[in-house]
């Protein structure tokens, strides 16, 4: 008696990138070889079209994806990959005084939440130097302050707030 042994397909499922921010997308690729015979089907666990070796996904939360590849000898192999999804930080900057006279100080605060992970950086448009969650500024004219907050999942969010600057009254003296 002769018994033939067919090779199973080999699947190297990848996600590029494997970590995304909410609203982002990742390319899933099955990178399959047939083993013995030829590939006859590629079946995804997600909403990707069947029998395609790759496709884009945009999960709203961390999701496990699988693909089952079958060859013409009816041998199958399943591959799996996880796409990690980070939440975008939220920033709602405020000023201790939203209307000031030119040259007066006011204190900015980012009022940020990390979303996922922890906040790693603050970047201000107002000239606040360094990685600060807030600080004192003295704008010379009305300004909109933007703060971009980045978290440890490498997701960023931006918020804005305004400071109205009134001109100081002019004084003229005559003798």
């Amino acid at each position: 008696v002769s018994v033939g042994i067919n090779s199973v397909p080999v699947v190297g499922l990848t996600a590029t990138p494997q970590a995304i921010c909410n609203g982002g997308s990742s390319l899933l690729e099955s990178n399959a070889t047939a083993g013995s015979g030829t590939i006859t089907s590629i079946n995804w666990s997600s909403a990707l079209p069947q029998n395609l070796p790759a496709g884009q996904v945009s999960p709203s939360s961390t999701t496990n994806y699988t693909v089952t590849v079958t060859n013409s000898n009816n041998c199958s192999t399943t591959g799996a990959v996880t796409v990690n999804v980070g939440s975008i930080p939220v920033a709602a900057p405020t000023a201790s005084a939203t209307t000031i006279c030119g040259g007066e100080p006011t204190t900015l605060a980012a009022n940020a939440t990390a979303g996922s992970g922890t906040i790693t950086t603050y970047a201000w448009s107002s000239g606040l130097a360094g990685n600060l969650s807030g600080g004192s500024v003295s704008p010379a004219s009305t300004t909109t302050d933007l703060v971009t907050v980045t978290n440890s999942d490498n997701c960023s969010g931006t918020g804005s707030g305004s400071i109205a600057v009134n001109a100081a009254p002019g004084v003229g003296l005559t003798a």
Side-chain angles (χ1 to χ4, degrees):
V1 174
S2 175
V3 176
I5 297 176
N6 295 314
S7 300
V8 297
V10 176
V11 178
L13 185 57
T14 59
T16 308
Q18 194 166 354
I20 62 172
C21 297
N22 198 352
S25 65
S26 180
L27 175 64
L28 300 182
E29 295 181 276
S30 65
N31 303 314
T33 58
S36 59
T38 58
I39 293 175
T40 57
S41 70
I42 301 172
N43 295 311
W44 294 94
S45 63
S46 65
L48 288 177
Q50 302 304 314
N51 292 317
L52 291 179
Q56 291 281 341
V57 293
S58 297
S60 58
S61 61
T62 297
T63 304
N64 296 315
Y65 292 96
T66 60
V67 64
T68 301
V69 177
T70 305
N71 67 18
S72 56
N73 294 315
N74 207 27
C75 297
S76 298
T77 299
T78 300
V81 69
T82 300
V83 176
N84 297 303
V85 179
S87 297
I88 296 173
V90 175
T94 58
S96 59
T98 57
T99 302
I100 60 173
C101 292
E104 287 183 342
T106 187
T107 302
L108 298 176
N111 298 314
T113 57
S116 59
T118 57
I119 295 174
T120 56
T121 62
Y122 297 88
W124 292 87
S125 67
S126 63
L128 270 178
N131 185 17
L132 302 172
S133 63
S136 182
V137 294
S138 300
S141 61
T142 297
T143 184
T144 298
D145 296 298
L146 300 174
V147 61
T148 300
V149 179
T150 304
N151 65 23
S152 55
D153 289 332
N154 205 27
C155 298
S156 296
T158 300
S160 65
S162 296
I163 301 172
V165 179
N166 296 324
V171 176
L173 294 176
T174 57

